[in-house]
Amino acid sequence: MKRVVVNILRIIVSLTFIFSGFVKAVDPLGTQYKLQDYAEALALQEMIPDWATLVASVSLAAVEFVLGILLLFAINRRLVTKLILVFMTAMTFVTLWIYIANPVSDCGCFGDAVVLTNGQTLLKNVLLLAAAALLALRPMVMPRFVSLSNQWIVRQYTILFIVGVSLYSLYYLPLFDFRPYHIGADIRKGMEIPEGAEMPQFETTFIMEKDGVRKEFSLEDYPDSTWTFIDSKTVTIKEGYVPPIHDFSIQRVEDGEDITDEVLDNDGYTFLLISPHLETADDSRFGNIEQLYEDAKDNGYAFYCLTASNEEGMQQWSEKTGAEYPFCNTDEITLKTIIRSNPGLVLLKKGVVIGKWSHNEEFPVLQKGKAPQMTEATSNVSYLKKLGGVFIYYILPLLLLVLADRLWAWSRWVKKEETRQSNKLFKLLKIKKTMRKKIVAGNWKMNKNLQEGVALAKELTEVVKNPNCDVIIGTPFIHLASVAEVIKGSCIQLSAENCADKASGAYTGEVSAEMVKSTGAEYVILGHSERREYYNETPEILKEKVELALANGLKVIFCIGESLEQREANKQNEVVKAELAGSVFHLSAEQWKNIVIAYEPIWAIGTGKTATADQAEEIHAYIRSCVAEVYGAQVADDTTILYGGSCKASNAPELFAKADIDGGLIGGASLKAADFKGIIDAWN
Ligand code: PEP
């Protein structure tokens, strides 16, 4: 919910800033005039030069627009929301002052595009301030539209665009003209007051003096002529309808005649050269102006220069430019409102503005008998067309950037997700693996006499503490009972290396599974390649042994593995599968729980040659799949499969790290406590 609210406010605040910045940027002179009004209200106008208010105007527009865009795209979220909060706090204080002191009638927040009363402006700013505070509190819940690495493009391009718009509008004319004198505007219509509209009411106070005493009078009690007029104040006591154009009048300097109606009613073309101040007007195109005046006269078009300058100013201008056209007086603010150029040219036809030219562009060249030629820039280009330009040059490139960036981010996400999934799978395998019993089992083979064996077992109980796996030692029959005594209470378990394929009876020299169990041993190693090879233990014999071992409560470490020739003939899979099928795959699932498989490639046993970790993992996975075929995936997952064959402390970690290798059956390296412990520690 919080996220939704913050993001809705983000859109509202950003769009307000973008709009506010843009409408100021399209009319920098308008904003400058407004800033000058503020300076005047504070009696600072003398101290602040024009260039400073102009720079402030362009900067203000740029700051608002850029902050709005950055907020919309959630770029530099923390900094931007803080700056917006600071900006709104300052603006709210300014508008509070405007609301109380009423120094200007319109704050100029939205240029001339939307005119608000001072009360409306204050309310708007208070709401925006609250929204800005919330955004500054929760900046990070705003999702980005563009990745971090591409944000500089949006930042730079936006600054370039908005400053470009300001400079264009300064050099030529406002890109969008929201004033009542825009191209296409009918000046007379702008002056109309609709029928029944409420009229504003004013009250004038006169300050008069008599015998050194000053007093205020109203119209009603205006004193006799013994009082001397000093000053007057007029205040609005009731707001009424004010038409968009309420102060347009033209007074010919030559004879003082008001020619407003004559100009507005003229069916032909009227050129108005507008210059609020001729003293500061740009005179670089004076030749062009003179030519236009001559051509206008030839074509029978009216031509006037409208200015608020006094006679001295007009004279100076005439001397400088050789101007012969008639001068007229019009209110300075009206002139500044009509066109943002000094001088600027306006073409009227029957009171409708049909063309405007800045002094920085070519004034039209008139051809006899032909209507004045309009260019794209000076004729009535629709707002829609101009907005189209903004879309093509600014919005579209940004949209394309966002699209490309999102595609890029998406492809990165897909890649990351793939890695995450495979990591997940890996973790899953690891979890499965950790759920299986991990074992390091020693196979002493026919090594160590009883005393040596007991001593080794004792040493092992001392060095192997809290291992991360089950530790088993497989000893000759003769050691079993003694070793069982030694390891009692330790973490080490005991295994025999063999048992008879007969339960009991006249089998001289044999040791039955039952006998093994009676020593305290829990495991028996069966199917070792040495027994298969040297004692001709066939799969059938091993099958008997396995059954007897299980029947007597022993767990079986069942060895399988291919010879070198078989490996070279790439028959390892066949071999191990056949060995399993021949001796253990007939067991029930319940019996299988007591089987541990030991894969021991014969070529690696006691030779110093180890199967690589990958080779071992490959065949372990295959063995597990064979188990799965017979007992199902779950049983296969739970089956411990050990690797055996020159396994040492140095290679055990790599081997044991493999998903399907659950420990080792160790021959040579199990005869020394330190070596054996090194392998056990591989599980750490
Ligand atoms: C073994 O005989 O079970 C065995 C793996 O031997 P080694 O570790 O010595 O290769």
Side-chain angles (χ1 to χ4, degrees):
M1 187 60 191
K2 238 182 245 164
R3 186 173 281 267
V4 173
V5 171
V6 169
N7 280 291
I8 290 174
L9 291 178
R10 162 200 182 180
I11 304 286
I12 294 172
V13 175
S14 62
L15 291 183
T16 311
F17 268 67
I18 291 167
F19 181 70
S20 172
F22 186 73
V23 293
K24 283 190 185 89
V26 296
D27 185 11
L29 282 178
T31 310
Q32 183 196 21
Y33 298 152
K34 191 54 77 183
L35 294 177
Q36 285 170 339
D37 287 348
Y38 286 124
E40 202 178 322
L42 294 165
L44 296 171
Q45 77 269 34
E46 300 299 327
M47 290 159 63
I48 305 174
D50 286 355
W51 66 260
T53 43
L54 188 58
V55 169
S57 153
V58 173
S59 311
L60 182 65
V63 165
E64 280 188 85
F65 188 81
V66 173
L67 282 178
I69 291 288
L70 296 187
L71 180 66
L72 186 66
F73 282 80
I75 293 173
N76 303 114
R77 290 170 282 193
R78 283 200 197 92
L79 177 70
V80 166
T81 49
K82 277 194 190 94
L83 288 178
I84 286 181
L85 182 61
V86 169
F87 187 89
M88 281 320 304
T89 308
M91 285 303 154
T92 307
F93 276 115
V94 171
T95 45
L96 182 67
W97 165 62
I98 297 172
Y99 179 69
I100 295 167
N102 206 22
V104 291
S105 57
D106 148 44
C107 71
C109 298
F110 299 131
D112 289 304
V114 179
V115 177
L116 299 177
T117 65
N118 291 343
Q120 289 167 336
T121 304
L122 179 63
L123 180 68
K124 173 205 77 160
N125 281 1
V126 168
L127 295 176
L128 283 178
L129 178 64
L134 220 102
L135 293 177
L137 275 175
R138 294 267 180 281
M140 302 318 274
V141 302
M142 299 186 287
R144 289 192 186 114
F145 291 170
V146 177
S147 339
L148 214 55
S149 51
N150 291 328
Q151 290 180 350
W152 68 272
I153 307 175
V154 180
R155 259 191 314 259
Q156 257 80 316
Y157 191 54
T158 299
I159 295 172
L160 208 74
F161 169 76
I162 200 68
V163 174
V165 165
S166 279
L167 296 182
Y168 176 93
S169 301
L170 258 182
Y171 192 76
Y172 296 108
L173 291 175
L175 193 58
F176 290 84
D177 191 348
F178 301 111
R179 283 155 297 132
Y181 300 94
H182 59 84
I183 297 175
D186 185 334
I187 295 178
R188 236 192 229 297
K189 275 221 175 93
M191 293 161 86
E192 275 170 12
I193 296 176
E195 226 173 286
E198 207 163 333
M199 299 303 290
Q201 286 175 21
F202 307 98
E203 190 178 74
T204 306
T205 314
F206 301 92
I207 302 160
M208 313 291 279
E209 197 177 79
K210 186 177 170 183
D211 303 331
V213 179
R214 281 194 181 186
K215 238 179 128 181
E216 286 191 1
F217 296 91
S218 70
L219 255 181
E220 283 76 43
D221 61 355
Y222 198 79
D224 58 31
S225 55
T226 55
W227 289 80
T228 314
F229 174 82
I230 301 295
D231 199 4
S232 70
K233 289 185 292 190
T234 301
V235 289
T236 310
I237 52 168
K238 196 167 178 228
E239 299 283 354
Y241 177 81
V242 180
I245 298 176
H246 48 271
D247 45 12
F248 182 80
S249 77
I250 305 172
Q251 204 168 30
R252 196 157 45 206
V253 170
E254 196 185 1
D255 51 13
E257 204 173 316
D258 188 319
I259 57 164
T260 314
D261 288 336
E262 188 185 322
V263 169
L264 295 183
D265 293 342
N266 182 13
D267 283 343
Y269 294 103
T270 303
F271 283 99
L272 301 176
L273 181 71
I274 310 276
S275 172
H277 299 288
L278 285 167
E279 300 83 344
T280 53
D282 183 291
D283 58 4
S284 54
R285 284 189 197 276
F286 74 90
N288 205 209
I289 298 170
E290 274 311 300
Q291 184 61 52
L292 180 68
Y293 171 57
E294 293 302 329
D295 292 345
K297 264 198 313 191
D298 288 353
N299 280 278
Y301 305 152
F303 192 111
Y304 304 100
C305 173
L306 272 49
T307 180
S309 288
N310 55 21
E311 272 188 45
E312 202 186 324
M314 292 177 214
Q315 204 168 338
Q316 267 177 18
W317 178 259
S318 298
E319 281 165 13
K320 209 160 38 167
T321 65
E324 289 178 359
Y325 34 78
F327 289 101
C328 301
N329 276 140
T330 296
D331 175 64
E332 179 198 342
I333 294 176
T334 306
L335 293 177
K336 282 178 169 174
T337 311
I338 293 174
I339 192 163
R340 305 294 202 208
S341 175
N342 186 21
L345 185 70
V346 173
L347 179 59
L348 297 184
K349 190 163 192 219
K350 225 174 172 340
V352 176
V353 180
I354 58 170
K356 279 182 163 186
W357 291 262
S358 144
H359 65 76
N360 284 319
E361 54 201 317
E362 287 293 329
F363 286 170
V365 177
L366 301 181
Q367 287 175 335
K368 201 146 180 69
K370 279 194 179 166
Q373 289 285 300
M374 298 294 172
T375 62
E376 267 276 285
T378 55
S379 60
N380 195 3
V381 178
S382 74
Y383 280 2
L384 217 64
K385 204 165 170 190
K386 288 182 183 174
L387 280 174
V390 172
F391 180 80
I392 288 173
Y393 291 110
Y394 180 66
I395 300 172
L396 188 63
L398 281 193
L399 285 179
L400 291 176
L401 172 75
V402 170
L403 195 75
D405 179 89
R406 291 300 83 193
L407 276 173
W408 178 61
W410 177 74
S411 70
R412 274 194 322 172
W413 178 83
V414 168
K415 242 190 217 155
K416 231 170 145 182
E417 193 58 18
E418 273 170 10
T419 324
R420 214 170 61 83
Q421 289 300 342
S422 65
N423 283 349
K424 238 163 116 183
L425 199 72
F426 180 70
K427 268 192 199 145
L428 215 71
L429 285 171
K430 265 195 129 168
I431 288 167
K432 287 227 164 126
K433 183 174 164 172
T434 48
M435 279 161 55
R436 288 195 286 273
K437 196 176 267 187
K438 295 168 286 177
I439 299 174
V440 172
N443 176 13
W444 290 1
K445 305 191 185 181
M446 197 171 75
N447 292 297
K448 310 265 179 204
N449 63 29
L450 181 60
Q451 289 71 31
E452 287 167 345
V454 168
L456 176 58
K458 203 163 170 9
E459 197 183 348
L460 283 172
T461 58
E462 280 156 15
V463 295
V464 181
K465 303 263 188 232
N466 302 318
N468 265 346
C469 60
D470 282 12
V471 177
I472 305 168
I473 45 177
T475 73
F477 292 132
I478 198 80
H479 298 66
L480 287 175
S482 308
V483 170
E485 273 308 306
V486 172
I487 61 173
K488 209 177 252 170
S490 78
C491 58
I492 298 168
Q493 299 168 72
L494 189 59
S495 173
E497 296 172 15
N498 185 22
C499 69
D501 59 340
K502 302 286 184 291
S504 61
Y507 301 101
T508 305
E510 284 297 291
V511 176
S512 71
E514 190 197 352
M515 291 171 186
V516 169
K517 182 71 185 174
S518 69
T519 64
E522 291 171 67
Y523 285 86
V524 59
I525 300 169
L526 294 175
H528 194 281
S529 57
E530 288 155 9
R531 293 218 54 91
R532 288 180 197 256
E533 192 181 341
Y534 308 141
Y535 301 97
N536 301 319
E537 291 193 355
T538 61
E540 292 72 32
I541 294 173
L542 290 171
K543 192 174 172 184
E544 295 298 326
K545 291 188 176 192
V546 167
E547 279 180 6
L548 282 166
L550 294 176
N552 284 284
L554 289 169
K555 291 178 195 139
V556 175
I557 299 174
F558 189 75
C559 304
I560 53 176
E562 80 284 357
S563 65
L564 186 61
E565 302 84 75
Q566 288 164 331
R567 165 67 63 165
E568 280 169 355
N570 200 26
K571 292 217 164 108
Q572 62 277 14
N573 287 3
E574 257 173 64
V575 172
V576 295
K577 191 172 185 178
E579 286 175 338
L580 289 167
S583 309
V584 287
F585 273 172
H586 67 285
L587 298 173
S588 68
E590 198 48 40
Q591 286 176 308
W592 185 265
K593 284 182 186 159
N594 292 314
I595 300 287
V596 171
I597 304 291
Y599 166 70
E600 297 199 317
I602 301 167
W603 47 272
I605 297 175
T607 59
K609 272 191 200 168
T610 335
T612 65
D614 285 335
Q615 268 177 331
E617 168 61 15
E618 192 184 340
I619 196 156
H620 275 235
Y622 173 73
I623 293 166
R624 200 177 300 286
S625 75
C626 294
V627 177
E629 269 174 33
V630 180
Y631 297 102
Q634 189 55 55
V635 172
D637 273 340
D638 296 342
T639 301
T640 299
I641 306 176
L642 308 180
Y643 169 78
S646 299
C647 184
K648 303 180 277 280
S650 58
N651 56 25
E654 196 190 349
L655 286 160
F656 296 176
K658 293 291 176 188
D660 287 292
I661 300 179
D662 307 313
L665 179 56
I666 318 299
S670 67
L671 296 172
K672 279 190 184 154
D675 294 349
F676 194 51
K677 182 174 182 296
I679 297 170
I680 295 164
D681 286 347
W683 281 118
N684 295 343

